[in-house]
Amino acid sequence: MRIVSVIVAVFLPFCGYGMSFDAVCERAYRVSGALIQNQGLRDANVHAKASALAGEPLSLEADASEVRGLDPINSGLRYHTMLNVQLKKPQWAKIQGEYYDQEAQRFQQQRQQYEIGIRIALKHDWLIAMVEDERIKILEEKATFFDQAYAIGEKKVAAGRLSQMELIRLHNEVYMTHQERDLAKMEREHLQHTFQEATMATQDVVIDDLSFAFIADRGESEGWIKQAFSVQMLTAEIDALTLRIKGALYEGNQFISVGVGMTHEPVQESVDVRVAIPLSLSGKNEQQRSALMAQRSALIHEREVVMGKLRIIVPTLLEHLKTKAERLTRALRMHTTQKKLREMGQKGYEGGVISQFEYLASQNSYYDQQLRTLELKRNYIDEMRGLEEKLGRVWE
């Protein structure tokens, strides 16, 4: 199913119809500047590895001189040529290969981090967009109700059954409701523009398989912390430094030079063989290793600190989400009570038991309860995004 969604995302433009969350994310990946740069680095790393492991270029050495000896027989032209090649030590070649493999893994982790960041942002914005859709629906209903109430109020003023001051108060209610509705529409439009920019879509983006759901805490937070992207990236840096520490042993003595040549002199000719083996007799490499080991120790300490902080904040965020979920659940239950009160208010008003403004107050209470519930849902979604960003994972 995922493959089908990706194919649709590639070959069909957005036309305002529903698409899967995966398909929308794939579209966003392809136009993400960070991911485009990451792909360039991954491709470059492949060529850099091939270059580093390739043989060193040959060099040709030549010189000539006029020799004048005490005896004329020793006079003449002297010339020398030698072909030199540098042979890479096998241990050094192995370390180089491991280093570029480690870089490839780091770039892959970085890509996953960028992709998860995109998924978290798109998920959050879509859930908020759904909240705004609900808000618009409620405010449309509220606006229609108050428009009708104002029209009735105007007739009552004309009949002398309602004061002008009460009509003005009713007009203010109408004005404020329309303002709230228009602001909600603007917010929804802004979110849609965010989707279009992220995916370079020309039509409205609609995700048809992503809906609001609570996060379930099953006591898996320790596993989440160990797999958190901030921890994984530090681990990758530590592994890279470990390879650099191994490679520091060969700094300055990575190659053995071999040369084969010929020397011609007026009285003789010779075949020359030269071997140059570098010797590490100074403490330079050990000092370099010590410097790298100090950096690695700092990163290991930082990783422990990061994990310690996550062990503090993740349970707190989960507890916050649990509390917010309970509040939201209670608010949803209140809808039934508010609906009954609204119906009672309407019957009382129609029966002449309560005044128009008592009736309007009961209607307002009903709509306000719905809007407060949406605000609780929005707060939950924001808190959920904070947890997902801390751990580098998406609950779907």
Side-chain angles (χ1 to χ4, degrees), residues 131-143 146 173 176-181 184 328 331-332 335 338 363-379:
V131 168
E132 291 305 317
D133 281 341
E134 292 182 69
R135 189 189 307 278
I136 291 168
K137 183 179 178 181
I138 293 168
L139 291 173
E140 288 279 13
E141 182 182 333
K142 184 178 179 182
F146 275 102
E173 289 282 357
M176 293 300 297
T177 300
H178 280 264
Q179 283 286 95
E180 286 184 86
R181 181 198 60 190
L328 179 54
L332 289 170
H335 282 186
Q338 288 293 333
Q363 299 299 312
N364 254 334
S365 178
Y366 171 73
Y367 292 121
D368 288 347
Q369 172 63 29
Q370 287 185 302
L371 294 173
R372 282 195 298 271
T373 301
L374 286 182
E375 195 60 34
L376 289 173
K377 182 184 284 189
R378 187 184 186 112
N379 290 340

Side-chain angles (χ1 to χ4, degrees), residues 108-356:
Q108 177 61 26
Q109 286 181 326
Q110 191 179 64
R111 178 179 182 85
Q112 292 174 357
Q113 187 177 29
Y114 291 147
E115 288 180 351
I116 287 175
I118 290 171
R119 294 181 78 86
I120 290 173
L122 288 175
K123 174 189 173 183
H124 171 269
D125 290 348
W126 178 251
L127 294 180
I128 293 296
M130 292 177 68
V131 168
E132 291 305 317
D133 281 341
E134 292 182 69
R135 189 189 307 278
I136 291 168
K137 183 179 178 181
I138 293 168
L139 291 173
E140 288 279 13
E141 182 182 333
K142 184 178 179 182
T144 300
F145 170 78
F146 275 102
D147 285 343
Q148 295 171 349
Y150 183 75
I152 295 172
E154 286 183 312
K155 294 178 182 179
K156 287 188 175 183
V157 168
R161 296 170 53 197
L162 189 70
S163 69
Q164 191 67 36
M165 184 181 72
E166 289 176 321
L167 183 64
I168 292 173
R169 286 174 58 192
L170 187 55
H171 177 268
N172 288 340
E173 289 282 357
V174 172
Y175 175 78
M176 293 300 297
T177 300
H178 280 264
Q179 283 286 95
E180 286 184 86
R181 181 198 60 190
D182 293 343
L183 286 173
K185 287 182 176 180
M186 286 177 61
E187 177 66 16
R188 182 63 176 84
E189 185 179 356
H190 172 72
L191 288 167
Q192 186 56 232
H193 288 161
T194 300
F195 292 130
Q196 291 175 336
E197 179 185 4
T199 58
M200 290 186 68
T202 57
Q203 302 293 330
D204 284 354
V205 178
V206 180
I207 302 174
D208 59 8
D209 65 346
L210 180 62
S211 57
F212 175 81
F214 293 126
I215 286 179
D217 179 13
R218 301 185 180 92
E220 301 171 338
S221 58
E222 182 61 27
W224 298 338
I225 289 168
K226 290 179 179 178
Q227 294 301 316
F229 253 104
S230 55
V231 175
Q232 290 186 38
M233 293 303 290
L234 284 170
T235 299
E237 290 185 50
I238 292 167
D239 292 342
L241 275 173
T242 300
L243 286 174
R244 288 182 62 190
I245 290 168
K246 289 170 62 178
L249 288 171
Y250 298 93
E251 287 292 333
N253 65 344
Q254 302 98 321
F255 304 99
I256 296 174
S257 298
V258 178
V260 178
M262 183 190 73
T263 300
H264 170 81
E265 297 179 355
V267 295
Q268 66 178 8
E269 292 184 346
S270 64
V271 175
D272 306 322
V273 177
R274 182 173 65 187
V275 177
I277 302 175
L279 301 176
S280 299
L281 299 178
S282 71
K284 180 178 179 180
N285 288 4
E286 284 303 320
Q287 292 298 325
Q288 179 67 15
R289 278 169 53 84
S290 297
L292 294 172
M293 289 172 70
Q295 293 182 42
R296 185 178 64 176
S297 296
L299 286 177
I300 292 172
H301 183 211
E302 182 182 356
R303 182 176 62 182
E304 292 302 316
V305 169
V306 168
M307 291 178 68
K309 289 181 177 180
L310 288 174
R311 289 189 180 102
I312 292 173
I313 192 62
V314 169
T316 301
L317 291 174
L318 287 171
E319 187 62 32
H320 287 179
L321 286 170
K322 181 180 178 182
T323 303
K324 290 178 184 293
E326 291 171 353
R327 292 182 62 195
L328 179 54
T329 302
R330 287 196 297 269
L332 289 170
R333 292 197 198 103
M334 285 291 294
H335 282 186
T336 304
T337 304
Q338 288 293 333
K339 188 175 182 180
K340 288 180 180 178
L341 290 173
R342 179 194 187 195
E343 293 170 352
M344 291 171 62
Q346 184 170 357
K347 290 178 181 178
Y349 175 68
E350 291 172 352
V353 177
I354 63 174
S355 68
Q356 180 176 9

